[in-house]
Amino acid sequence: MDSVDMVQTKHANFFVSDNHNVFNGFLRNTILACLLVLSISVSLSNASCFFDPLKPGTSDGCLHTTFSGCSDSKGELHEFGSKWRTDDCLDCSCSKSGISCCTSYGTPVDYDTEKCIKIFNKETCTYKVVEKDDHSKECVVTGWVG
């Protein structure tokens, strides 16, 4: 009876050890997959951004420190919590700290500059890379920033 218990104990230990190895493999693969997704996300979201903090304003010679929103570069007032896209294709938002803006587009950087040119479409806020001699033919782009 002792030998049966010992075999069962060994078998149970082997089974636990197997599950442990399976779990470690699953955990390792999950971490690697997350790192891959993160590295792709970082490269795709490498936007050019800036922040403009709220500043006290003056009118009629008086200093005003209370705000009802954010004033953009055109002097247009935006409510706190609002978001908008500018004519220059910047995605902006207004908070009680100020205005945050980021480019809404990627800029092609890795393509054949001898043969191709990049053309910006302000309607869609996108770049298209085409052959210099034939704008109907698109070029391969392997790197984008912004």
Side-chain angles (χ1 to χ4, degrees):
M1 185 158 203
D2 288 337
S3 62
V4 172
D5 289 337
M6 193 170 227
V7 170
Q8 286 178 341
T9 304
K10 282 184 182 178
H11 182 63
N13 284 340
F14 176 76
F15 184 72
V16 169
S17 177
D18 248 4
N19 280 343
H20 183 69
N21 287 336
V22 169
F23 178 74
N24 280 342
F26 175 75
L27 183 62
R28 183 186 66 239
N29 290 342
T30 301
I31 290 171
L32 288 174
C34 290
L35 288 173
L36 177 63
V37 168
L38 181 62
S39 67
I40 291 170
S41 299
V42 167
S43 64
L44 291 176
S45 64
N46 186 14
S48 174
C49 300
F50 66 89
F51 178 75
D52 189 16
L54 288 179
K55 299 174 192 83
T58 59
S59 65
D60 302 332
C62 297
L63 181 64
H64 298 278
T65 57
T66 57
F67 302 99
S68 57
C70 305
S71 183
D72 65 18
S73 60
K74 292 181 175 181
E76 189 175 324
L77 187 64
H78 299 273
E79 292 181 12
F80 292 129
S82 64
K83 296 180 181 186
W84 67 96
R85 180 167 283 179
T86 69
D87 295 336
D88 298 327
C89 297
L90 296 174
D91 287 332
C92 298
S93 62
C94 172
S95 72
K96 292 188 178 188
S97 301
I99 296 178
S100 280
C101 294
C102 295
T103 55
S104 63
Y105 54 88
T107 303
V109 292
D110 195 6
Y111 61 94
D112 185 351
T113 55
E114 304 271 328
K115 180 181 170 187
C116 306
I117 59 169
K118 59 184 177 185
I119 299 172
F120 188 71
N121 182 336
K122 276 191 124 177
E123 298 280 322
T124 61
C125 296
T126 57
Y127 274 102
K128 188 175 186 179
V129 180
V130 295
E131 289 185 8
K132 291 178 181 178
D133 298 332
D134 185 355
H135 288 197
S136 68
K137 293 183 181 176
E138 289 194 35
C139 298
V140 174
V141 179
T142 56
W144 299 80
V145 295

